[in-house]
Amino acid sequence: MAREAYITGVGQSEVGVRLPRHPLLLTLDAAKEAIAEAGLTFEQIDGVFSFPGKSHGYLAFSPVGTDEVIEALGIKSKWQMGGLEQPAQLSAIGMAAWAVKEGICRHVLCYRTVYEAGGMADPATYMPARPDTVSGASQWTSPFWATSAACWTAQYAARHVHKYGLTREQLGQIAINGSKNAMLNPNARAITKEELTLDKYMSARMISTPLCLYDCDRFSDASTVVIVSAGDALDEIRCEPIRIAAMSGSVDRYSWDQVEWPAAYDAGPDLWARTDYTAADVDTAQFYDGFAFLPITWLEALGFCGKGEGGRFIEGGTRIARDGELPLNTAGGQLGAGRLHGFGFAHEAVTQLRGKAGARQIPGDPRVAVATSGGGPLAAALLLAKD
Amino acid sequence: MRLPRPRPKLDQENSAFWTGGAEGKLRIVRCGDCGNYTHPPRILCRHCQSENVSAEPVAGTGVIDTFTVNHQPWAKDLPVPYVIARVALDGVPGVYLTTNIVNCPVEAVGFGDPVRVVFEEQDGVFYPLFEKAD
Ligand SMILES: [Zn+2]
């Protein structure tokens, strides 16, 4: 137990589009909820981890730094960490697990705060000056007007279409499933107002083939907090702890165009190499869907189906529905519940394992969930278990 | 009027790539010791860590490895649709370039199509674009 890491509290602020509430206050809202759920106080938090910490170049992407959270919430921290140089969003939770397993921290507050919708409403404060010069990784894509991750992801999706026959009708099931589940998620009301139909999906305008408007998540404003606690600190909490049974990450090259497939295909097998659980044990999957193609890569990478079979796995949507064999993105995912940028998947996995998902709760007594994050060259996965 | 392309900030690593078009050459960093190519360009070989590297001209032909037809105007006045492709360069194993396929309708682009480089110059930067070769 001492060497184990558990998720104890989870919390989420209001999720909206152009929320007037300051992003630091959204972080406070989510933190208060998570701390209360864990049965802790801010005085007991001794670590603050985030992905990616404060993004000074593009403030709306990540407006709140770990130092600000420590300062503003009165936390006495032993360790802080934020930065883009991690294998995708959920790696912040993975790093927190390491910290508690090492005995460096007892209760770590992990958060992801986004303000991309609100930032657009206040460009003077949150938006960078229009970049007419580019450097770093973006110099290999932006000069060709491959400006968005939508274009980069589309290239992988198009290869899947070409090589394995993925169809738009199959791909559409990710967004349709997300919208159905979002309708039952009170935190998704600002994002999804009605169920998406296949007709509406098929007639939507294209963004970057084969990805249409509904295959791309929507900028939103929100904060999600996850508390990670040490196995030998569980006597201090008052909630059902969820064990981080395994975690994996993958970074090959930080080049979207120099790798054959997204990094998920490496992180998937690694996750199973670190646990006795298998894909057959998973009761619900929360797969990063910043773009609808990405859950297909995770389904294949984690062995829920063979490589190239993801389209057929989701066909018709029954397997991934709430009452299907692998309920997927039960809170709506980012397509249905907003671009919470990764942390929403861990939040929902814990909520489902605790049986607290209300109208969208999956049947039975789910005991194992997997949550993933990342696209392109970055991937991170967490396996969560109720022991 | 063409919308100016975002301009790469030239430095020690990338200048040969972005200016090779002045002589009509597509230049990719190659190792003088092991012979392998490194892209994006670096001041060392990513295969054997040798510092004996230089940007050498390559054939400038290749095939379309994957592509997307982009319909979203990501900048004001950006004409759409256009093709973003990943080109696998002939004779340069393991190196791909993200680029645009130009001088043909977007419907004419397909997987495996042979392509050749054409340069578009803008204030001293030569953007390697590709057109169909057959
Ligand atoms: Zn070498």
Side-chain angles (χ1 to χ4, degrees), chain B residues 50-63:
Chain B
S50 166
E51 297 166 40
N52 179 22
V53 297
S54 60
E56 293 185 6
V58 298
T61 59
V63 294

Side-chain angles (χ1 to χ4, degrees), chain A residues 130-135 139-148 150-152 154-156 158-159 162 205-210 252-253 255-261, chain B residues 3-9 14 17-18 39-41 46 65-72 74-75 78 82 84-86 94-100 111 127-129:
Chain A
R130 207 193 130 67
D132 48 9
T133 68
V134 287
S135 55
Q139 71 176 294
W140 309 110
T141 49
S142 290
F144 308 99
W145 298 115
T147 308
S148 164
C151 311
W152 315 335
Q155 306 237 60
Y156 289 120
R159 290 183 96 241
H162 174 70
R205 69 183 174 87
M206 272 293 161
I207 299 296
S208 205
T209 58
D252 180 355
R253 308 178 65 186
S255 299
W256 279 78
D257 55 1
Q258 303 300 314
V259 289
E260 190 179 6
W261 290 105
Chain B
L3 186 65
R5 292 178 183 269
R7 180 186 172 83
K9 194 169 182 296
N14 69 11
F17 180 87
W18 288 115
H39 186 81
R46 70 182 302 272
D65 177 72
T66 183
F67 71 99
T68 180
V69 181
N70 180 78
H71 293 264
Q72 176 72 16
W74 300 105
L78 180 64
Y82 56 92
I84 301 164
R86 177 167 104 150
V95 171
Y96 300 88
L97 298 184
T98 295
T99 183
N100 298 126
F111 276 78
Y127 297 83
L129 313 179

Side-chain angles (χ1 to χ4, degrees), chain A residues 167-176 196-206 210-216 292 335:
Chain A
T167 67
R168 284 201 67 217
E169 286 83 354
Q170 291 169 342
L171 185 60
Q173 295 302 328
I174 298 293
I176 291 167
L196 179 62
T197 63
L198 186 59
D199 280 350
K200 198 171 168 193
Y201 174 88
M202 293 301 288
S203 56
R205 69 183 174 87
M206 272 293 161
L211 304 179
C212 72
L213 183 66
Y214 295 112
D215 292 319
C216 307
L335 296 173

Side-chain angles (χ1 to χ4, degrees), chain B residues 31 34 45 47-48 50:
Chain B
C31 179
C34 76
C45 170
H47 302 276
C48 76
S50 166

Side-chain angles (χ1 to χ4, degrees), chain B residues 5-130:
Chain B
R5 292 178 183 269
R7 180 186 172 83
K9 194 169 182 296
L10 298 187
D11 59 26
Q12 183 187 357
E13 287 180 327
N14 69 11
S15 288
F17 180 87
W18 288 115
T19 62
E23 291 107 47
K25 306 285 191 200
L26 181 63
R27 294 184 194 278
I28 304 290
V29 165
R30 188 177 195 193
C31 179
D33 291 330
C34 76
N36 285 307
Y37 291 91
T38 290
H39 186 81
R42 298 288 177 233
I43 56 170
L44 80 170
C45 170
R46 70 182 302 272
H47 302 276
C48 76
Q49 291 70 52
S50 166
E51 297 166 40
N52 179 22
V53 297
S54 60
E56 293 185 6
V58 298
T61 59
V63 294
I64 293 175
D65 177 72
T66 183
F67 71 99
T68 180
V69 181
N70 180 78
H71 293 264
Q72 176 72 16
W74 300 105
K76 193 172 174 290
D77 300 329
L78 180 64
V80 291
Y82 56 92
V83 173
I84 301 164
R86 177 167 104 150
V87 168
L89 292 175
D90 291 340
V92 195
V95 171
Y96 300 88
L97 298 184
T98 295
T99 183
N100 298 126
I101 306 301
V102 296
N103 302 333
C104 70
V106 297
E107 300 81 27
V109 175
F111 276 78
D113 284 356
V115 290
R116 66 172 159 254
V117 70
V118 289
F119 291 99
E120 182 180 298
E121 195 251 339
Q122 182 187 296
D123 298 331
V125 169
F126 291 76
Y127 297 83
L129 313 179
F130 285 76

